[in-house]
Amino acid sequence: MSVPRARQIALTASERRRLEKLAYSRTAEIGLVVRVRIVLDAADGYSNNKIAVRQQVHLDTVRTWRGRYADHGLDGLKDRPRVGRPPRFTPVQRAEIKALACQLPAETGVPLSRWSSTDLATEAIGRGIMAAISASTVRRILAEDALKPWQYQSWVFIRDPDFAAKAARVLDLYQRVWGGIPLGDNEYVISSDEKTSIQARCRCHPTLPPGVSRTMRVNHEYDRGGSLAYLAAYDVHHAQVSGHCAAKTGIVPFMTLVEKVMTSEPYASAERVFWVVDNGSSHRGKAAADRLAARFPKAVMVHTPVHASWLNQVEIFFSIVQRKVVSPNDFTSLDQVEDRLSVFGRRYNETARPFEWKFTPADLEDLMARIERHEQKEHSQQPTGCDHQTAASPAAA
């Protein structure tokens, strides 16, 4: 019985480059990578037996993909369409599931705040959309359109009438600009705020370290040891933090932090030090700015807009503190909390680098333009005054 001859593979320079790129790709499917390497070995003159050994596949596999490439080129290395099981649900049924997920449960009379995949499956069966469907199938259907009704995101209207101007000043400072003039080397930008209600929770049983096939274990029961506030001042361009703890927030604790920063170098001899703060009661309004300037004439207080603490970079530092210092909360006393925060601050200053702040004044302009277009669209969709009068006149009569 004659043995079939191996198909000859001849590659052009461009074909070889394309195949070699796929052969060493880290993102391509492993099956396609193996098939491409089989073709490259064949083009290099290896026999089918040698290729099977080199690629650790069966001899028939080598013959199959070598022959398909010889007949159809790179398209021949793709999987052929498979018939598979017919879909259980029609496109209309799948669309009705998605439409149901896009409604608030309260609008449908269901006493829920948001849908879960199990709730949607139950509701779809109850409405007669289909006789039966599982929660996992609902989840797969919604994943086609990235719908996840069990998730939600909060938002807030811009209430500050000077939002754009205040935000622009803060963003300019992050780019070392004030009033259109670049800052000098002896001028600094400080981002400051308070992290409140850091509790000392003494666990009733010791925390267990991670072990074999076991995560860290923290006992649920605890004794309360009180709480404190952590005030921090973050140098935006030099990634240095100064902080201290207080029993509660207020003008006195905040000014204590200012005193600590402004009496130490390089800020004591600086030409100007800009303090970016939010609108908390400790540093709100013109009175706080005047109080700061009276105590330290070189200090300039710059407020973020109302409801825009996300513009304050120290909030990023506080998120690091929450992840690395406070959670899980297992402290024997407030003194231990304060000591941990102090030591962490010194450790952070040794290796920290400035945050890569990406929201620029140009992004702010785009945001304000989108908000303006949205407001104009809403205004154009509102009924006119004549419509209001016409609708109200019967009731008035």
Side-chain angles (χ1 to χ4, degrees):
M1 182 176 179
S2 61
V3 178
R5 296 184 60 186
R7 303 291 297 275
Q8 298 300 311
I9 303 295
L11 301 176
T12 64
S14 61
E15 290 175 337
R16 179 174 288 276
R17 284 195 300 270
R18 187 176 181 184
L19 291 174
E20 287 178 346
K21 184 177 181 180
L22 283 171
Y24 297 100
S25 172
R26 295 185 178 182
T27 57
E29 296 180 1
I30 185 60
L32 178 61
V33 170
V34 172
R35 297 166 194 175
V36 168
R37 291 178 178 177
I38 289 173
V39 173
L40 288 172
D41 283 350
D44 291 337
Y46 288 99
S47 66
N48 287 347
N49 288 325
K50 283 284 186 68
I51 297 174
V53 174
R54 282 169 56 85
Q55 303 301 332
Q56 299 181 359
V57 295
H58 195 274
L59 180 61
D60 290 342
T61 302
V62 177
R63 292 193 182 116
T64 297
W65 297 113
R66 184 171 186 162
R68 288 193 186 179
Y69 187 86
D71 293 335
H72 306 289
L74 189 58
D75 290 338
L77 301 183
K78 298 177 181 178
D79 288 324
R80 292 175 177 174
R82 300 179 182 180
V83 177
R85 188 180 66 182
R88 291 182 55 192
F89 304 108
T90 66
V92 173
Q93 290 175 318
R94 300 169 75 89
E96 289 182 345
I97 287 287
K98 296 175 184 179
L100 180 61
C102 290
Q103 300 179 49
L104 294 175
E107 295 177 353
T108 65
V110 179
L112 298 172
S113 60
R114 47 187 168 150
W115 295 112
S116 69
S117 53
T118 303
D119 296 325
L120 285 170
T122 303
E123 185 70 12
I125 295 171
R127 293 187 177 203
I129 296 176
M130 63 273 296
I133 188 172
S134 66
S136 59
T137 301
V138 170
R139 196 178 299 112
R140 285 194 297 270
I141 291 174
L142 298 183
E144 296 174 359
D145 287 340
L147 289 173
K148 296 178 177 61
W150 45 86
Q151 296 181 355
Y152 69 93
Q153 185 177 22
S154 61
W155 56 279
V156 64
F157 276 114
I158 291 178
R159 294 196 312 168
D160 195 324
D162 299 324
F163 179 90
K166 291 180 179 179
R169 285 197 293 268
V170 174
L171 296 176
D172 283 344
L173 284 175
Y174 291 165
Q175 295 186 342
R176 297 193 60 81
V177 175
W178 179 252
I181 302 174
L183 298 183
D185 294 337
N186 200 28
E187 294 181 299
Y188 300 88
V189 179
I190 299 293
S191 173
S192 179
D193 201 3
E194 306 92 359
K195 182 174 177 61
T196 60
S197 300
I198 301 179
Q199 298 186 46
R201 297 176 177 176
C202 182
R203 304 292 167 173
C204 297
H205 298 280
T207 296
L208 300 177
V212 178
S213 301
R214 187 192 72 196
T215 60
M216 178 192 297
R217 293 187 177 182
V218 181
N219 181 233
H220 176 72
E221 297 180 292
Y222 58 86
D223 293 325
R224 297 181 183 274
S227 63
L228 52 75
Y230 178 50
L231 294 87
Y234 174 76
D235 189 321
V236 170
H237 301 113
H238 300 88
Q240 294 296 294
V241 175
S242 298
H244 78 96
C245 296
K248 58 182 180 179
T249 61
I251 295 175
V252 173
F254 175 71
M255 291 305 295
T256 301
L257 175 66
V258 174
E259 186 91 22
K260 179 179 180 181
V261 174
M262 296 300 295
T263 56
S264 62
E265 295 296 342
Y267 313 106
S269 57
E271 182 178 346
R272 280 187 302 184
V273 180
F274 295 90
W275 285 77
V276 178
V277 297
D278 61 14
N279 295 274
S281 59
S282 305
H283 34 67
R284 179 187 301 157
K286 185 176 183 300
D290 293 342
R291 183 168 53 247
L292 178 66
R295 179 66 185 86
F296 297 99
K298 298 178 181 179
V300 180
M301 182 173 286
V302 181
H303 289 96
T304 63
V306 177
H307 289 324
S309 292
W310 55 271
L311 282 171
N312 208 350
Q313 288 199 26
V314 74
E315 298 294 345
I316 305 176
F317 172 72
F318 282 152
S319 71
I320 297 173
V321 170
Q322 181 65 35
R323 295 194 308 271
K324 293 191 173 185
V325 182
V326 178
S327 299
N329 193 311
D330 186 9
F331 299 97
T332 57
S333 65
L334 287 178
D335 290 338
Q336 188 181 18
V337 177
E338 186 170 354
D339 181 66
R340 179 80 63 83
L341 290 168
S342 176
V343 174
F344 175 77
R346 292 194 296 270
R347 174 191 173 95
Y348 181 86
N349 288 339
E350 292 174 358
T351 59
R353 293 180 296 177
F355 300 130
E356 295 183 8
W357 188 263
K358 297 182 179 180
F359 192 82
T360 65
D363 297 321
L364 176 64
E365 291 182 7
D366 292 340
L367 172 63
M368 301 308 297
R370 290 201 306 272
I371 293 174
E372 184 178 359
R373 289 195 298 269
H374 179 72
E375 291 177 343
Q376 290 175 350
K377 181 178 179 181
E378 283 193 340
H379 181 71
S380 65
Q381 292 176 348
Q382 291 178 355
T384 63
C386 293
D387 293 335
H388 282 294
Q389 293 175 2
T390 302
S393 56

